[in-house]
């Protein structure tokens, strides 16, 4: 660039040659005046505009204010020449902020570059959007960036930049990105052949999934599949092997993504994940001499351990991980010690037993003295998480000793954690008071208001503690210096409970007064106000020191502080009232116990720790804290979803409407929302006909269009079933990013899992088989839904019902005439009877179509009992439903067709009313089919 623009080269040389700042400013002012004149005169060609704008950019980079050249930069963006367009984009990203009015002028030019076929222009436009994209630009161009990301014609490097641009826009303006709507299309790119694209898309999915877990749930299977291909099958190019570790950055992101979701119940996915994690841990068993190899391997290993803890703290993998972590927290490398302590804190926060962590307690305590403050902070977090009733006194004692020499950056957090642990695991009230007062005395300015508030609450609510607390705080106040927080605690406790110790030697009212008042001169106005309240209470209970107290009120009536002056005047007036007046006694009554409330220390600690862009799936503080956090998170999610739904449904703004919108919220509910919303089903006469046929048959076509054909073969025994799904590719091109997912309306009643992770590519004109394991736990009425999505030029998604219905789990029962009618009467009528009357059509001979009726009944796995009903046209059947939770459920049916009336009565009786209703509904559909 410098060789073709001599003016720019000379300008830079002159600036560098300036010996003093005044000469530099003089040269820049001269150049800026010349540029303004040139721009004002106009008639500049592209080269001249580019040269002058480049000088303006250089001036801006030097730190000088620039107020010229914005329009010229906008014009350069629309230039067909790359060199001019590049300078234009550079000027826009440097000289303009996201709220600049000039940005509105470049939106159309940027959109034109995004739509163009030149990849370089695409990238320049993406850079500009990512760097200065405000809300208006994001709203206008987000769709175009998304189109560029998913376009099959986009180059890999363009897709990478588009994914990261969308990530930038989402972080700045999340409302502009329809994350749930784009979910499947973005997730499909996780199957891209280029691992660079996969890394960028996974980073985007991580951000989107944190706020849209259900919409991005398919990414769980994709992440497991990609980890399996990287770690087990070694499917990656040599370019992405970093010191013999396959794409460590991608592995780390995928392992972290899996931690956002609850552990999968699918045995195939769990098996593959276990194998992946086991392989990662085995690979890290031996330490290499190569530092870079170790760093990459450790990065993956620590994330793998985090996932193993998230999946199951009782698994053998976690036992192996605990051994590895013990080695890491004693490592010579600071980074390894840091990660070891942080991951061990994760283990302590989730584990059922803290014994594996307690074995290394001495090493962890030594880490508090580490030379690196970040390691010391992680050691503090780990001690906080691993504390329980057995080791609380030891850990709190160590933390108190360390508090006196700890960094100022750590002290406030340490005070909160010591206070929380002391309250949570106090073995006796006396130990609690001693520890907290020692903490307040040692920590000084780092003690927040919440700490001494909590002490006051606990002492007030615990009668056995009040006398002891008064004595101990009095002894602490005897010290030559006492921190203001200690004076506040002393003022409150002695004011309320000083009379309990007043008759003991050394604790007389006069001594209490002298000790407390001697500290007041060093306190702020708020503390002095509290001490005045203490004095008026003493006027009521210690009449022998009333003159000294009245004298203080008299003195404070004339201070400048309005709060102090008002209190002193009011208290002075109260103290002057006659002794027989009961007003003073009523005003100075002992404080009642505080109502039960949660500790504010925890909320203060959580607020202090804050949250990062990559949300943690756990918090420091042991298993109980994590369980409470999960319950709170679910309740918040339910309330948020409920209020959003109510707000959408409510259009009016009247009070009645507002109350109505709140009425649907179940604030006491703690269970989470359903796993996902029910997909939109594909519709069509053939689809319904295929489905209805398969409800009473074991094999057949379930779906077919111009691109794919889906067929079914099934077999059932007891409460277990197997379903083979055959998916055929009918087109001459491969179906890529193939995703199959099953949605179950009631997972408590029905379980449907894949035998292995489905393939993500179906070759041209070939067929693939996917095996499903089915288990009926109890009666259900809604069939599972199979969602198939793939890329074939564009993105296609189809959702269809699987023919898994309740009657599939019936087995034949043989009954004689007497046994059948005995059981029929024993079950009785409603509610365990379901009956319907519906029209039927006769066959071509005008007779009842009995073979069709028999086929429908046997197709639903009922055993036809011939010769049981006296009427030969009537059909009688029996079966037993197998469920894994509710056991066996008997089911009887009677079908009574009437040729003259062209009607049929179907009666189903069962020991379960739900089973009777569902079996009757399914049988009626099959009997009416084709009529």
């Amino acid at each position: 660039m410098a060789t073709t623009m001599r003016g720019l080269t000379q300008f830079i040389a002159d600036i560098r040659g300036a010996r003093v700042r005044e000469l530099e400013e003089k040269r820049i002012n001269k150049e800026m005046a010349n540029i303004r004149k040139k721009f004002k005169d106009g008639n500049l060609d592209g080269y001249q505009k580019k040269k002058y704008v480049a000088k303006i950019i250089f001036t801006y980079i030097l730190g000088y204010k620039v107020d010229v050249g914005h329009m010229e930069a906008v014009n350069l963006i629309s230039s067909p020449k790359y060199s001019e367009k590049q300078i234009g984009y550079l000027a826009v990203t440097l000289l303009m902020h996201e709220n600049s009015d000039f940005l509105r002028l470049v939106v159309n030019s940027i959109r034109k570059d995004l739509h163009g076929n030149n990849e370089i222009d695409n990238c320049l436009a993406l850079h500009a959007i990512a760097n200065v994209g405000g809300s208006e630009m994001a709203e206008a161009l987000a769709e175009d960036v998304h189109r560029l990301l998913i376009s099959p014609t986009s180059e890999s490097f363009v897709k990478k930049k588009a994914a990261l641009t969308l990530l930038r826009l989402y972080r700045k303006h999340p409302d502009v990105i329809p994350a749930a709507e784009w979910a499947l299309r973005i997730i499909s790119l996780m199957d891209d052949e280029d691992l660079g694209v996969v890394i960028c898309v996974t980073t985007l999915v991580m951000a989107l999934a944190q706020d849209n877990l259900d919409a991005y749930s398919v990414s769980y299977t994709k992440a497991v599949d990609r980890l399996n291909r990287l770690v087990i099958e070694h499917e990656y190019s040599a370019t992405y092997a970093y010191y013999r570790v396959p794409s460590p950055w991608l592995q780390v992101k995928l392992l972290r993504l899996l931690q956002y979701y609850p552990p999968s119940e699918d045995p195939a996915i769990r098996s593959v994940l276990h194998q992946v994690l086991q392989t990662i841990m085995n690979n890290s068993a031996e330490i290499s001499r190569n530092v870079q190899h170790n760093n990459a391997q450790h990065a993956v290993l620590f994330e793998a351990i985090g996932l193993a803890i998230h999946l199951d703290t009782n698994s053998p993998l976690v036992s192996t991980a605990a051994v590895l972590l013990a080695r890491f927290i004693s490592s010579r490398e600071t980074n390894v010690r840091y990660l070891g302590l942080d991951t061990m804190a994760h283990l302590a926060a989730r584990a059922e037993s803290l014994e594996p962590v307690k074995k290394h307690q001495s090493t962890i305590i030594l880490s508090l003295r580490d030379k690196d403050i970040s390691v010391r902070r992680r050691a503090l977090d780990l001690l906080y998480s691993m504390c329980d009733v057995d080791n609380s006194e030891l850990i709190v004692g160590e933390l108190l000793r360390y508090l006196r020499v700890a960094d100022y950056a750590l002290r406030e957090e340490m005070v909160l954690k010591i206070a929380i642990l002391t309250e949570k695991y106090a073995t006796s009230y006396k130990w609690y008071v001693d520890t907290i007062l020692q903490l307040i005395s040692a920590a000084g300015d780092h003690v927040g208001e919440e700490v001494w508030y909590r002490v006051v609450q606990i002492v007030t609510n615990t009668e056995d503690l009040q006398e002891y607390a008064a004595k101990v705080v009095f002894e602490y106040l005897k010290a030559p210096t006492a921190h203001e927080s200690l004076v506040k605690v002393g003022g409150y406790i002695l004011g309320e409970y000083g009379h309990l110790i007043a008759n003991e030697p050394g604790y007389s009212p006069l001594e209490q007064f002298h000790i407390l008042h001697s500290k007041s001169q060093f306190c702020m106005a708020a503390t002095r106000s509290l001490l005045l309240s203490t004095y008026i209470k003493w006027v009521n209970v210690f009449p022998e020191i009333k003159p000294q107290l009245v004298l203080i009120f008299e003195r404070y009536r004339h201070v400048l502080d309005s709060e102090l002056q008002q209190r002193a005047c009011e208290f002075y007036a109260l103290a002057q009232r006659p002794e027989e007046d009961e007003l003073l006694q009523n005003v100075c009554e002992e404080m009642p116990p505080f109502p039960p409330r949660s500790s504010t220390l925890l909320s203060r600690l959580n607020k202090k720790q804050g949250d990062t862009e990559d949300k943690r799936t756990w918090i420091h503080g042991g298993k109980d804290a994590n369980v409470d956090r999960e319950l709170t998170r679910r309740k918040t999610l339910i309330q948020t979803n409920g209020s959003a739904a109510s707000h959408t449904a409510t259009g009016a703004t009247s009070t009645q409407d507002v109350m109505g919108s709140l009425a649907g919220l179940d604030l006491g509910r703690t269970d989470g929302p359903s796993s996902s919303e029910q997909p939109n089903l594909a519709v069509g006469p053939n689809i319904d006909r295929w489905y209805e046929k398969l409800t009473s048959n074991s094999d057949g076509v379930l779906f077919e269009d111009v691109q794919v054909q889906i067929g079914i073969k099934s077999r059932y025994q007891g409460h277990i079933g197997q379903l083979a799904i055959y998916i055929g590719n009918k087109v001459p091109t491969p179906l890529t990013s193939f995703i199959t997912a099953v949605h179950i309306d009631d997972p408590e009643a029905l379980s449907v899992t894949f035998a292995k992770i489905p393939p993500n590519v179906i070759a041209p004109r070939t067929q693939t088989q996917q095996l499903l394991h089915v288990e009926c736990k109890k009666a259900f009425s809604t069939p599972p839904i199979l969602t198939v999505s793939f890329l074939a030029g564009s993105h296609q998604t189809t959702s269809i019902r699987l023919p898994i219905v309740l009657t599939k789990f019936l087995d034949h029962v043989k009954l004689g005439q007497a046994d059948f009618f005995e059981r029929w009467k024993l079950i009785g009528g409603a509610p365990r009877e379901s009956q319907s009357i519906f029209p039927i059509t006769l066959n071509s001979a005008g007779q009842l179509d009995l073979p069709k009726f028999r086929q429908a009944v046997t197709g639903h796995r009922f055993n036809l009992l011939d010769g049981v009903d006296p009427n030969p046209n009537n059909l009688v059947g029996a079966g037993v439903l197998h469920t894994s939770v509710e056991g066996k459920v008997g089911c009887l049916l009677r079908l009574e067709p009437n040729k003259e009336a062209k009607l049929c009565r179907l009666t189903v009786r069962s020991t379960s009313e739900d089973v009777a209703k569902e079996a009757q509904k399914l049988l009626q559909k099959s009997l009416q089919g084709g009529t």
Side-chain angles (χ1 to χ4, degrees):
M1 183 171 67
T3 55
T4 57
M5 290 190 285
R6 293 181 183 176
L8 175 62
T9 307
Q10 187 59 47
F11 176 60
I12 293 173
D14 292 347
I15 296 296
R16 287 178 175 174
R19 296 181 180 179
V20 292
R21 184 171 178 81
E22 288 75 14
L23 293 175
E24 181 182 294
E25 290 179 356
K26 184 177 179 182
R27 178 68 181 91
I28 286 173
N29 290 336
K30 179 182 177 183
E31 190 63 43
M32 289 298 107
N34 178 53
I35 290 172
R36 283 191 188 91
K37 182 175 182 300
K38 294 289 185 182
F39 285 164
K40 188 176 180 181
D41 294 343
N43 297 324
L44 296 176
D45 59 20
Y47 168 78
Q48 290 173 313
K49 285 183 183 178
K50 176 180 71 172
K51 179 178 68 175
Y52 292 134
V53 170
K55 290 182 180 180
I56 292 170
I57 293 171
F58 183 74
T59 304
Y60 177 80
I61 292 172
L62 289 177
Y64 290 92
K65 189 176 180 180
V66 170
D67 57 359
V68 67
H70 295 80
M71 275 306 300
E72 283 67 26
V74 170
N75 293 334
L76 282 175
I77 287 178
S78 55
S79 169
K81 290 185 179 179
Y82 168 73
S83 60
E84 295 174 10
K85 188 184 288 289
Q86 181 193 37
I87 293 294
Y89 272 117
L90 183 61
V92 165
T93 54
L94 284 175
L95 304 181
M96 299 180 192
H97 56 82
E98 63 180 53
N99 297 318
S100 173
D101 292 333
F102 285 102
L103 279 184
R104 296 172 184 169
L105 304 175
V106 300
V107 168
N108 285 332
S109 297
I110 292 176
R111 181 180 284 115
K112 184 180 177 183
D113 286 337
L114 288 175
H115 288 182
N117 296 324
N118 188 322
E119 292 86 0
I120 304 298
D121 293 352
N122 296 159
C123 293
L124 287 173
L126 291 170
H127 286 165
I129 296 169
N131 280 308
V132 294
S135 57
E136 286 186 24
M137 183 179 282
E139 198 169 339
L141 298 174
E143 288 275 358
D144 300 291
V145 176
H146 176 249
R147 185 197 58 77
L148 204 56
L149 170 65
I150 65 175
S151 171
T153 59
S154 294
E155 294 289 340
S156 292
F157 65 89
V158 176
K159 287 182 181 178
K160 289 191 280 189
K161 292 181 187 298
L164 296 177
T165 302
L166 270 184
L167 175 63
R168 173 78 169 168
L169 292 179
Y170 182 74
R171 285 176 174 168
K172 288 178 71 176
H173 313 288
D175 297 337
V176 172
I177 307 296
E181 183 184 329
W182 292 349
L184 283 176
R185 193 62 187 85
I186 291 175
I187 291 170
S188 66
L189 291 170
M190 291 176 70
D191 287 323
D192 199 279
E193 294 179 0
D194 190 316
L195 284 185
V197 174
V198 178
I199 291 173
C200 295
V201 171
T202 303
T203 308
L204 174 61
V205 168
M206 285 175 70
L208 298 173
Q210 288 181 72
D211 301 320
N212 304 273
L213 280 177
D214 290 343
Y216 286 82
S217 57
V218 180
S219 65
Y220 194 95
T221 308
K222 290 289 180 192
V224 174
D225 182 47
R226 178 62 74 173
L227 282 169
N228 179 55
R229 287 154 60 190
L230 282 174
V231 178
I232 307 297
E233 299 174 3
H234 303 289
E235 275 188 34
Y236 57 90
S237 63
T239 312
Y240 287 96
Y242 180 79
Y243 289 90
R244 293 182 286 114
V245 180
S247 192
W249 299 277
L250 178 56
Q251 286 192 59
V252 167
K253 289 177 187 295
L254 293 172
L255 291 166
R256 175 56 62 90
L257 175 62
L258 293 175
Q259 293 178 58
Y260 296 155
Y261 289 90
S264 173
E265 297 298 326
D266 191 321
I269 290 178
R270 292 178 74 91
S271 172
V272 171
L273 256 186
H274 183 276
Q275 192 179 356
V276 167
L277 295 175
Q278 186 70 63
T279 305
I280 291 172
M281 290 186 189
N282 292 342
N283 291 343
S284 305
E286 296 181 8
I287 299 176
S288 168
R289 292 183 179 180
N290 189 304
V291 176
Q292 304 297 342
H293 175 77
N294 280 340
N295 287 343
Q297 208 159 47
H298 285 151
V300 177
L301 174 65
F302 282 115
E303 209 60 63
I305 293 174
L307 177 58
I309 294 168
H310 175 74
L311 294 175
D312 183 9
T313 54
N314 297 319
S315 72
L317 286 174
V318 175
S319 303
T320 306
V323 175
L324 289 171
L325 291 175
R327 189 178 79 195
F328 291 140
I329 62 174
S330 305
S331 171
R332 292 182 180 180
E333 292 184 43
T334 304
N335 289 340
V336 175
R337 288 199 307 277
Y338 174 93
L339 289 169
L341 290 166
D342 188 53
T343 310
M344 195 172 273
H346 185 187
L347 176 60
R350 287 289 181 85
E352 296 286 345
S353 169
L354 291 171
E355 290 306 317
V357 182
K358 286 182 182 177
K359 290 178 184 176
H360 315 289
Q361 190 167 285
S362 57
T363 308
I364 298 163
I365 290 172
L366 282 175
S367 298
L368 283 173
R369 269 82 179 172
D370 196 277
K371 60 184 179 181
D372 191 291
I373 186 172
S374 61
V375 175
R376 296 197 292 272
R377 192 183 292 279
R378 292 289 79 82
L380 170 62
D381 290 338
L382 177 50
L383 286 171
Y384 175 68
S385 293
M386 65 183 283
C387 188
D388 62 11
V389 178
D390 298 329
N391 61 6
S392 57
E393 292 193 21
L394 175 63
I395 287 180
V396 169
E398 284 292 340
L399 292 177
L400 278 172
R401 278 192 288 276
Y402 177 61
L403 180 63
R404 301 178 187 278
V405 295
D407 304 80
Y408 283 99
L410 283 176
R411 287 193 181 182
E412 187 178 351
E413 186 180 336
M414 283 191 72
V415 168
L416 286 171
K417 289 183 174 177
I418 292 170
I420 291 168
L421 293 178
T422 307
E423 179 185 340
K424 189 174 182 180
Y425 300 112
T427 51
S428 68
Y429 288 128
K430 291 183 178 180
W431 179 74
Y432 172 76
V433 169
D434 291 341
T435 305
I436 288 292
L437 292 180
Q438 187 182 348
L439 172 66
I440 294 173
S441 177
D445 293 333
H446 300 283
V447 178
E449 297 286 309
E450 297 87 354
V451 176
W452 77 267
Y453 286 170
R454 192 63 180 166
V455 178
V456 164
Q457 286 176 27
I458 290 172
V459 172
T460 304
N461 289 12
T462 313
E463 191 173 343
D464 298 341
L465 188 59
Q466 292 162 0
E467 182 179 341
Y468 181 77
K471 283 184 179 180
V472 175
V473 79
F474 182 82
E475 294 299 329
Y476 270 96
L477 287 171
K478 282 183 177 179
T481 57
H483 191 266
E484 194 163 341
S485 295
L486 190 62
V487 176
K488 290 176 182 177
V489 174
Y492 183 92
I493 291 178
L494 291 176
E496 290 292 330
Y497 312 113
H499 63 279
L500 299 176
I501 61 171
N503 296 327
E504 297 185 26
Y507 300 105
S508 67
L510 191 59
E511 286 174 299
Q512 290 186 38
F513 167 68
H514 282 315
I515 284 290
L516 197 58
H517 191 61
S518 64
K519 305 291 190 266
S520 65
Q521 56 185 323
F522 306 108
C523 296
M524 304 286 287
T527 307
R528 293 187 185 187
S529 299
L530 188 148
L531 293 181
L532 287 180
S533 299
T534 301
Y535 297 159
I536 193 62
K537 293 197 173 191
W538 280 351
V539 168
N540 183 41
V541 294
F542 300 146
E544 61 267 34
I545 60 170
K546 182 176 178 179
Q548 293 97 316
L549 297 171
V550 171
L551 188 63
I552 290 171
F553 294 146
E554 172 65 31
R555 188 186 311 156
Y556 274 93
R557 287 168 64 193
H558 307 291
V559 296
L560 295 177
D561 187 278
S562 59
E563 172 68 19
L564 280 172
Q565 188 184 83
Q566 182 176 349
R567 285 196 186 212
C569 290
E570 291 173 356
F571 293 162
Y572 181 80
L574 275 174
Q576 296 298 333
R577 296 182 73 85
E579 292 182 6
E580 61 273 11
D581 192 346
E582 295 182 358
L583 179 61
L584 179 61
Q585 294 179 14
N586 294 335
V587 170
C588 298
E589 279 186 358
E590 190 174 306
M591 281 288 289
F594 289 91
R597 64 183 72 176
S598 59
S599 172
T600 56
L601 298 176
L602 281 170
S603 58
R604 173 65 188 273
L605 179 63
N606 293 337
K607 189 183 294 183
K608 181 170 177 60
Q609 289 175 340
D611 208 349
T612 59
E613 287 180 353
D614 187 10
K615 299 185 176 88
R616 275 188 184 271
T617 56
W618 57 280
I619 57 171
H620 297 293
K623 188 177 181 187
D624 293 342
N626 281 275
V627 170
D628 292 343
R629 172 181 179 265
E630 184 64 18
L631 291 176
T632 305
R633 187 187 67 81
R634 287 182 177 180
K635 183 181 280 191
T636 305
L637 183 63
I638 292 164
Q639 293 180 13
T640 305
N641 291 345
S643 61
S646 300
H647 179 73
T648 305
T650 307
T653 56
S654 66
T655 306
Q656 183 179 356
D657 288 341
V658 172
M659 293 308 294
S661 70
L662 296 175
L665 291 180
D666 181 6
L667 301 182
R669 184 178 165 194
T670 56
D671 57 327
S674 61
S675 59
S676 60
E677 294 181 6
Q678 184 167 315
N680 294 323
L681 291 171
V683 293
N686 285 340
I687 295 173
D688 292 338
R689 180 168 54 82
W690 289 329
Y691 169 77
E692 295 298 343
K693 183 180 178 183
L694 282 168
T695 58
S696 55
N697 286 279
S698 60
D699 57 84
V701 174
L702 180 63
F703 176 82
E704 186 170 11
D705 63 9
V706 294
Q707 292 175 314
V708 295
Q709 182 190 60
I710 301 175
I712 296 287
K713 279 188 180 180
S714 61
R715 61 177 181 177
Y716 295 86
Q717 185 172 359
H719 64 275
I720 299 295
Q722 270 193 347
L723 202 72
I725 303 176
Y726 296 91
I727 304 173
N729 178 5
K730 297 169 63 177
V731 294
T733 56
L735 304 180
T736 59
S737 190
F738 202 87
I739 300 172
T740 49
V742 175
H743 171 88
I744 304 167
D745 192 57
D746 185 5
E748 298 295 322
L750 184 69
S751 168
V752 181
T753 55
F754 287 98
K756 60 180 182 179
I757 297 178
N760 56 14
V761 176
I762 300 180
R765 304 195 187 283
T766 60
Q767 188 182 70
T768 183
Q769 175 189 321
Q770 296 183 19
L771 198 63
L772 290 179
H773 293 307
V774 186
E775 180 186 4
C776 178
K777 300 176 182 177
K778 55 186 181 181
F780 64 94
S781 58
T782 307
I785 295 171
L786 175 72
T787 299
V788 175
S789 63
F790 54 87
L791 285 177
S794 61
H795 191 257
Q796 311 285 333
T797 302
T798 303
S799 294
I800 46 178
R801 292 172 296 173
L802 284 173
I804 302 173
V805 293
L806 192 62
T807 52
K808 295 284 187 182
F809 301 95
L810 284 173
D811 270 350
H812 286 190
V813 173
K814 292 182 179 179
L815 294 174
Q817 186 177 29
D819 289 338
F820 177 83
F821 284 109
E822 182 184 345
R823 295 191 185 190
W824 184 265
K825 291 175 183 176
L826 190 64
I827 294 174
R832 293 189 289 185
E833 176 187 274
S834 182
Q835 188 178 85
S836 64
I837 298 173
F838 51 90
I840 56 173
T841 56
L842 305 178
N843 61 18
S844 56
Q847 300 297 319
L848 292 171
D849 197 350
L850 292 178
K852 174 191 163 186
F853 296 160
R854 295 177 69 89
Q855 184 183 350
V857 173
T858 55
H860 282 283
R861 300 175 66 88
F862 278 92
N863 184 27
L864 276 175
L865 305 176
D866 294 322
V868 169
D869 197 293
N871 187 338
N873 290 334
N874 291 355
L875 298 181
V876 173
V880 59
L881 174 69
H882 295 269
T883 64
S884 59
V885 175
E886 297 180 344
K888 296 180 180 180
V889 180
C891 197
L892 306 175
L893 76 86
R894 197 173 181 193
L895 186 69
E896 301 167 279
N898 187 317
K899 185 174 81 170
E900 287 72 22
K902 294 185 181 179
L903 294 174
C904 184
R905 179 167 68 186
L906 172 64
T907 308
V908 179
R909 291 186 179 181
S910 171
T911 51
S912 165
E913 56 181 284
D914 294 332
V915 173
K917 288 178 183 175
E918 184 61 21
Q920 177 267 318
K921 183 180 76 173
L922 292 168
L923 279 163
Q924 183 178 331
K925 277 189 178 180
S926 294
L927 290 165
Q928 284 185 296
T931 60

